Amino acid sequence: MITTYMKNKVAARISCLLFATTLLTPVLTSCQDMLETESNLQVFDPSLDQKTDSMFYTLGILKGVQQAIDQYVLFNEMRGELTATNQYTSTDLRELANFSAGITNKYDSAYIFYRVINNCNYFIQHRDTTLLTGARKVAVPEYVQAYSIRAWAYLQLAKMYGEVPFFTEPITNISEANAIREKKDIRGICAALAPQLKYYADSTALAAVPDYNGGVLVDAGYFNNNTRKQVSVKSIMFPVGLVLGDLYLEAGEFENAAKCYFKYLNDNRLYARDYGTFPNITEDIRRRLPSDWPRSFSYMSWSSMFSSNSHNDVITYVPMAVNKLRGQTTDLPRLFGYDLYTTEATSSASMNMYLVEREIDPSQTYFDLSNAQEYYYTPQQSVMIKSVDFLGDGRRNSTFRHVSKEDSMFYEMRKYENGNIFIYRTSAIYLRLAEALNRMGYPDAAFAILKDGFNDDLETDSTYLTPESHTLLRSTIPFFSAENKAIYANSAGIHSYGAGATEGLFSPYQMDNIAYRKYLELQSQFGADLFPDLIQEREFYDEEGNLIVDDEGNPITLSYVAWTKEALMNAVEDLICDEYALELAFEGHRFGDLCRLARHKNAAATYGSNFGGLWLANKLKKKNPVVDLTDQHNWYLPFGN
């Protein structure tokens, strides 16, 4: 058990926090480091025979994650379709964006991830997990973290490079490194690492992450603009169940992924809360609003998670230091137009913090997607929900600040203004669960995550959930079971975060309508040969079997969408893809999400064995890639230093 003295010591050091020893790299021992640990141990063969060694070594591993995190974000966002380069963009970033990056590119470094992996390997091999405080094995939570972070790092390598050198024994010299011959892709990594992760994830007690400060936020100092930074120790850890779920999802083991995500959400009582964003009501828009527009909104602020030190939606983030004297800093705010570390600002609202010379802009594709979304509202004194098509998704207004400076107009991206890089958010886990449920063959249950959330009304009033999905949600993924349903009674749909009142029977946001719009969009992109017309006419008959006709003798018919399950799954998957963009834009997921969905489409072969490649190339055609993205080999970086 961590003593009160040790908690206080950790609180003081996490204000320096995030670093200890790193194998094959110099030991960082400055007490000013944000992840500093007071360790004077040697680089090679550090001791792990004391109870507190686990804590300090885990912080050391996490500092390695800090050092890799900018590359993680930039690889995924520069290669995705949501970012654009500009006149200030560096050559390295421009090469990432157009798929011309070579091994000399600044952001092509496998080494920074292998450094994390090697630390984890050493800890796993040498940590004595039998050390006890009373009946409690004090080293086990950190031991599980080593497995979890190692798997996360291998997964990032596989997404960046395809097939990568794989080893689980610690490397302490160059000859051992040169002797590595085994390579694995995502499926191989999942097969190798998932069984041990599952052992820990299946136990709620073993899966619990360390929390050295009892849930109390730890002070990490002040930025130069006098903004205070605090860190939630529990939130810098990597939950083993979520890493395992990601391995399964990437490998196409959809039911296993869905069970992992559900178990984590259920164990931690996490539901999709009624967050939201206000639409941007300018004077011009105000004049266009319908007369029954509501006078007020009751949403909690979706954007608050990016400016606060602790938030219900945030599960895991990588906290970066307030300045270089206090530890590892990040270049991401500057690249997106915000000078987080400037000494010329006295507040976070100072114009000195906005950078004309930003290197990354939001793309027109991002704005087109956001602007295309309808906004749903409940009229005054009415239960019938209506929509308007000129407001767009409200999350874009919370994600970007429109800045006018030095005769320039530009957008500054706000998600990194607190120097935190998000790994897991509750909304992201629900969207990955939706992806898994859809590929399991339950597109209606997946759409429920976008529209309603798994709340009481969905179970009792839904017209789109099939009996099969009801059974699934009472048994295999039991949101609706008697013991669980109260947890999710007030859940909301993720799309409502930016689009307003999507829930219930009276909203125009309904599965057949929304999915068919997406189907028509795909039809326009890939042609009617792949996406034929699905509209059919249904005739009506009386009780005696006679055709019902109108006064002129013409049959009375009703038009409907004759979905095949495969066509509906593909359309819902593309809706989930859009929601990933709207909810998680610029957080370091986009290209990985696109590649994973493309692999799913290839594996399903609904529209041909390489439809995923065609789909991905179409998504990224405005990036002007210098390679053929229908060829999966061209999705990866060359294996760099």
Side-chain angles (χ1 to χ4, degrees), residues 10 12-22 28 30-37 55-67 149 212 220 229 231-233 235-238 317-321 326-328 419-420:
V10 170
R13 291 309 179 191
I14 294 183
S15 69
C16 292
L17 179 63
L18 260 165
F19 236 35
T21 56
T22 303
L28 302 178
S30 167
C31 68
Q32 295 301 309
D33 193 334
M34 184 185 172
L35 283 181
E36 189 272 337
T37 66
M55 173 178 64
F56 292 127
Y57 211 97
T58 299
L59 298 181
I61 292 170
L62 288 169
K63 186 157 186 177
V65 174
Q66 277 187 321
Q67 294 166 337
I149 296 170
Y212 305 133
K229 186 179 182 84
V231 173
S232 166
V233 179
S235 296
I236 69 177
M237 305 296 173
F238 286 62
Y317 65 92
V318 179
M320 309 304 280
R326 300 296 292 268
Q328 184 75 32
N420 293 331

Side-chain angles (χ1 to χ4, degrees), residues 449-461:
I449 290 175
L450 304 184
K451 174 178 167 53
D452 294 299
F454 294 119
N455 57 39
D456 284 344
D457 292 338
L458 177 69
E459 183 183 14
T460 57
D461 297 335

Side-chain angles (χ1 to χ4, degrees), residues 128-324:
D128 181 359
T129 59
T130 65
L131 296 173
L132 298 174
T133 294
R136 178 174 175 266
K137 293 184 177 180
V138 294
V140 168
E142 290 83 4
Y143 191 69
V144 176
Q145 277 298 288
Y147 277 100
S148 185
I149 296 170
R150 180 178 69 178
W152 177 85
Y154 264 126
L155 187 56
Q156 306 322 308
L157 282 170
K159 289 196 286 187
M160 289 181 184
Y161 298 104
E163 191 177 58
V164 296
F166 182 85
F167 58 96
T168 56
E169 298 293 323
I171 305 295
T172 58
N173 59 62
I174 297 300
S175 62
E176 289 177 352
N178 290 336
I180 298 170
R181 293 290 181 267
E182 185 177 20
K183 290 187 175 182
K184 293 187 183 294
D185 60 8
I186 285 174
R187 287 182 176 273
I189 289 168
C190 180
L193 300 183
Q196 188 67 48
L197 295 180
K198 186 177 186 302
Y199 172 78
Y200 294 119
D202 283 348
S203 166
T204 300
L206 293 177
V209 300
D211 183 4
Y212 305 133
N213 210 44
V216 177
L217 292 176
V218 175
D219 187 76
Y222 285 82
F223 292 103
N224 293 326
N225 64 9
N226 292 321
T227 301
R228 184 185 185 189
K229 186 179 182 84
Q230 294 177 300
V231 173
S232 166
V233 179
K234 182 178 180 180
S235 296
I236 69 177
M237 305 296 173
F238 286 62
V240 64
L242 297 185
V243 175
L244 178 60
D246 286 354
L247 280 177
Y248 284 140
L249 187 63
E250 294 284 349
E253 298 184 28
F254 302 116
E255 183 170 339
N256 285 337
K259 287 178 177 178
C260 284
Y261 294 139
F262 171 78
K263 184 178 188 305
Y264 181 84
L265 294 168
N266 204 56
D267 284 350
N268 292 277
R269 302 297 191 262
L270 296 176
Y271 62 93
R273 296 170 183 264
D274 194 15
Y275 298 121
T277 51
F278 295 103
N280 185 26
I281 308 296
T282 63
E283 282 303 314
D284 176 62
I285 288 176
R286 190 178 302 279
R287 288 191 292 268
R288 300 167 62 191
L289 290 175
S291 59
D292 57 4
W293 186 258
R295 293 188 178 92
S296 63
F297 292 86
S298 59
Y299 288 126
M300 294 183 285
S301 174
W302 174 83
S303 60
S304 62
M305 71 187 77
F306 305 111
S307 57
S308 65
N309 292 300
S310 181
H311 194 278
N312 287 322
D313 192 70
V314 177
I315 298 171
T316 299
Y317 65 92
V318 179
M320 309 304 280
V322 296
N323 55 54
K324 290 184 178 180

Side-chain angles (χ1 to χ4, degrees), residues 54-129:
S54 291
M55 173 178 64
F56 292 127
Y57 211 97
T58 299
L59 298 181
I61 292 170
L62 288 169
K63 186 157 186 177
V65 174
Q66 277 187 321
Q67 294 166 337
I69 204 65
D70 278 14
Q71 179 173 317
Y72 159 82
V73 171
L74 292 170
F75 169 82
N76 281 293
E77 295 306 329
M78 294 310 296
R79 293 200 158 200
E81 84 281 29
L82 307 180
T83 59
T85 58
N86 59 41
Q87 62 181 316
Y88 305 109
T89 305
S90 69
T91 299
D92 289 316
L93 289 178
R94 197 177 302 278
E95 289 175 350
L96 276 184
N98 66 18
F99 293 81
S100 65
I103 60 173
T104 60
N105 189 281
K106 176 181 178 181
Y107 303 106
D108 182 2
S109 175
Y111 165 73
I112 57 176
F113 289 94
Y114 278 114
R115 184 166 55 192
V116 173
I117 288 166
N118 205 33
N119 274 296
C120 293
N121 285 343
Y122 189 94
F123 185 87
I124 290 167
Q125 184 174 87
H126 293 283
R127 173 73 276 187
D128 181 359
T129 59

